[in-house]
Amino acid sequence: MNKVERINIIMRYINNRAHFTISEIMREFNISRSTAIRDIKEIEAMGMPLVAEVGRDGGYSVMNNSVLPTVRFTDNEIKALFIAFMATRNQQLPYLKSRHSLAEKLLGLISNNQQDDLVLLNQILLFEGTNPHNPDLLDLSDLPHPMLEKLIQILLMDSYLWVTVNEGEVIESYPICLLHLYHEKSLWLIEGFDLEDEKRRIIPVDHLTHVEPYSSKKRASKKKILELLSKQEDVINLVLELGPKAITQFKKYHPLNVSISYTNPYQTTAILQTFVNVEHTEELTEMTNWLLFLGGDITVREVPEEVSEGLQERLRLYCP
């Protein structure tokens, strides 16, 4: 981290605090006392209104109603921001209105020449999910499920949740500890630990009808949950060797719980090891489809019989 980056991060750090000390800055950013003092003086010179407090427990505080100094973007930083906006259109991301207003504000900050560059980039670059007939830079119409933003707001306060899930004809309510919230195959999914049944659950956010913090005092600790999950880990039953073409396909898409280990320094060969629940019909079908997606540049070391039969059946359909 160079000096400019460090000072920018320190500015944001102290702006979010009513009070801070030199020692806290030293510990947080792993810098010497003299460096911390120089950085704070430089921040004051940039216009951030800091008030020094004398005494044994003295430190600094930021004056009320203060704001960060104006942030100036380079041409490349502006391009990076808007390419990120372009690449994430139609991804059902949260805070759509905020992303839209942020894009408009950024456009208002830049020159006409910079705007022309962005228009040209928008014409040249096409990302997955972009409508080539209407590649409008501000056409952010990818509305996520209305429960997603509420869920994120609650998670910022507490990861222990009471959820109500509509599974078609069955509506269930139970407490979970959220492990991850992730986006896969155009769906937002919750990976959580069911605190009553003591097992891992994958819950589509689209199936949520209600969510609230779980206030019960009988909470399993995160450490206990991880211990229980480690004991429930499934035995690996699918082992593949991947060549360069299969690795390329893997990078395009792979299930969340599947990873590879490269077997040479050039990352052109790899080993894939995972567990396939052959008793779960949807998972078995999904794994069969994905293995076909990887292509022929794989060598099978170990595979469940049900997966092998599914692959053979699919190949017979494709190549009669």
Side-chain angles (χ1 to χ4, degrees):
M1 182 189 305
N2 61 38
K3 178 181 176 181
V4 174
E5 291 173 336
R6 185 180 70 245
I7 287 177
N8 283 334
I9 294 172
I10 292 175
M11 288 170 65
R12 282 155 179 77
Y13 174 85
I14 64 181
N15 196 64
N16 291 326
R17 284 157 178 77
H19 179 272
F20 68 94
T21 65
I22 294 290
S23 298
E24 288 172 347
I25 297 294
M26 291 166 59
R27 287 195 302 270
E28 183 72 22
F29 299 97
N30 193 27
I31 57 178
S32 67
R33 184 177 185 83
S34 58
T35 300
I37 292 172
R38 281 199 303 270
D39 286 351
I40 290 172
K41 287 182 177 179
E42 196 158 333
I43 289 170
E44 286 183 292
M46 293 170 66
M48 177 171 278
L50 301 178
V51 178
E53 300 174 358
V54 298
R56 182 178 176 183
D57 299 321
Y60 293 84
S61 59
V62 184
M63 286 179 61
N64 292 335
N65 301 320
S66 66
V67 296
L68 288 173
T70 302
V71 177
R72 293 178 175 82
F73 297 103
T74 67
D75 284 348
N76 285 344
E77 287 171 341
I78 290 169
K79 292 182 179 69
L81 281 169
F82 276 92
I83 287 174
F85 275 113
M86 293 161 63
T88 55
R89 282 179 299 194
N90 302 315
Q91 297 295 314
Q92 284 72 54
L93 300 178
Y95 305 110
L96 176 65
K97 291 181 179 179
S98 296
R99 285 190 290 130
H100 198 289
S101 63
L102 179 58
E104 290 180 330
K105 287 177 181 177
L106 287 170
L107 278 175
L109 292 174
I110 62 178
S111 67
N112 290 335
N113 287 339
Q114 289 172 320
Q115 290 184 21
D116 291 342
D117 286 344
L118 297 182
V119 170
L120 182 57
L121 277 175
N122 199 48
Q123 294 170 351
I124 295 172
L125 300 176
L126 288 181
F127 295 91
E128 185 178 3
T130 302
N131 180 355
H133 302 295
N134 186 27
D136 183 0
L137 189 66
L138 297 181
D139 184 20
L140 300 172
S141 57
D142 49 326
L143 280 171
H145 190 276
M147 189 65 73
L148 182 60
E149 287 190 20
K150 179 181 178 181
L151 176 63
I152 291 174
Q153 288 299 115
I154 294 175
L155 288 174
L156 292 173
M157 299 182 291
D158 198 347
S159 58
Y160 290 83
L161 308 173
W162 180 265
V163 297
T164 302
V165 184
N166 186 347
E167 297 283 0
E169 298 180 356
V170 180
I171 297 178
E172 290 185 288
S173 296
Y174 45 83
I176 66 167
C177 174
L178 187 133
L179 303 172
H180 296 101
L181 176 63
Y182 64 98
H183 193 250
E184 182 177 275
K185 294 181 293 185
S186 300
L187 291 174
W188 281 97
L189 302 168
I190 292 172
E191 180 189 10
F193 182 78
D194 188 322
L195 297 168
E196 290 181 346
D197 293 344
E198 295 190 342
K199 65 179 183 180
R200 189 190 306 267
R201 283 183 180 267
I202 303 297
I203 307 166
V205 172
D206 289 9
H207 291 179
L208 290 179
T209 60
H210 182 72
V211 60
E212 63 184 54
Y214 180 53
S215 58
S216 172
K217 295 180 180 179
K218 298 180 180 179
R219 293 182 173 190
S221 68
K222 293 286 182 67
K223 181 179 179 181
K224 179 66 174 177
I225 289 171
L226 293 176
E227 288 176 356
L228 290 169
L229 287 173
S230 66
K231 294 176 182 177
Q232 298 173 10
E233 284 185 355
D234 300 305
V235 178
I236 290 170
N237 61 0
L238 177 66
V239 181
L240 306 174
E241 293 180 3
L242 277 61
K245 293 180 181 178
I247 290 173
T248 299
Q249 291 296 93
F250 177 90
K251 290 179 179 178
K252 290 180 181 177
Y253 168 70
H254 60 272
L256 178 74
N257 61 340
V258 177
S259 60
I260 59 175
S261 300
Y262 292 105
T263 54
N264 70 21
Y266 306 105
Q267 299 188 352
T268 55
T269 58
I271 291 289
L272 182 154
Q273 300 181 89
T274 190
F275 170 78
V276 183
N277 186 354
V278 296
E279 296 180 0
H280 196 296
T281 305
E282 290 184 5
E283 183 175 338
L284 185 60
T285 302
E286 175 64 25
M287 184 56 67
T288 302
N289 293 338
W290 183 64
L291 291 176
L292 290 170
F293 169 77
L294 288 181
D297 194 19
I298 61 175
T299 301
V300 177
R301 284 192 183 179
E302 182 181 345
V303 63
E305 184 178 345
E306 292 83 353
V307 174
S308 179
E309 291 174 353
L311 288 170
Q312 292 172 15
E313 178 64 27
R314 197 68 59 82
L315 290 172
R316 280 196 293 270
L317 291 174
Y318 292 156
C319 307

